[in-house]
Amino acid sequence: MSKERRRSLRSQPTKAEYVLWQEIRREKLGYKFRRQFSIEKFIVDFYCHELRLIIEVDGPVHTEQLRYDKLREYFLEARRYTVLRYKNDQVLFERENVLQDISLKCRLAASAPSA
């Protein structure tokens, strides 16, 4: 994916992406995340290189592209990435639960033996 596309996505985040970014940026969870990051042929919403952890925030369009999202997730997981998915409404209205879940998954990923 092009640098211009990533830049465009970063400059025009959805409300949920913006809210989540404010919570996970600057190593607030103890790990560095990047946003709108390219992994092979895909751009992921948020990515932690240290943990190989991807966070996707799904808006309404994702209900129409379930098959694509599943294939994309399978592709990434086959390459040893962990993919976490949250719906916009979860991020916006259940923020603490989402952050607790991400924090837990970070700790689990950090303690998992690397192969």
Side-chain angles (χ1 to χ4, degrees):
M1 290 286 173
S2 73
K3 185 182 262 189
E4 294 79 27
R5 177 76 177 132
R6 290 190 316 269
R7 187 175 290 136
S8 171
L9 289 168
R10 278 193 299 269
S11 69
Q12 300 173 359
T14 66
K15 183 175 182 181
E17 288 171 345
Y18 177 81
V19 165
L20 185 56
W21 179 240
Q22 297 309 308
E23 298 290 349
I24 66 173
R25 65 191 293 200
R26 297 191 178 124
E27 299 187 33
K28 290 181 181 178
L29 297 179
Y31 300 95
K32 180 178 182 175
F33 282 88
R34 299 178 184 273
R35 61 188 176 123
Q36 303 305 334
F37 187 80
S38 289
I39 297 178
E40 296 196 32
K41 60 185 176 179
F42 300 110
I43 296 176
V44 299
D45 292 334
F46 304 102
Y47 175 63
C48 176
H49 176 75
E50 181 181 351
L51 302 174
R52 296 184 65 83
L53 182 71
I54 295 166
I55 302 172
E56 291 290 319
V57 179
D58 294 344
V61 70
H62 291 273
T63 59
E64 298 168 15
Q65 64 180 41
L66 293 174
R67 186 170 188 270
Y68 171 81
D69 284 346
K70 267 298 179 208
L71 290 172
R72 181 177 186 260
E73 197 168 315
Y74 178 77
F75 176 90
L76 293 165
E77 288 175 344
R79 283 149 183 81
R80 301 188 113 118
Y81 293 98
T82 299
V83 181
L84 307 179
R85 286 192 154 330
Y86 303 98
K87 294 188 183 318
N88 281 354
D89 285 349
Q90 286 178 285
V91 172
L92 295 173
F93 304 114
E94 302 170 28
R95 186 178 324 165
E96 286 305 315
N97 291 339
V98 168
L99 292 172
Q100 285 177 3
D101 189 58
I102 293 170
S103 184
L104 173 64
K105 299 294 176 22
C106 285
R107 288 192 308 272
L108 290 172
S111 66
S114 56

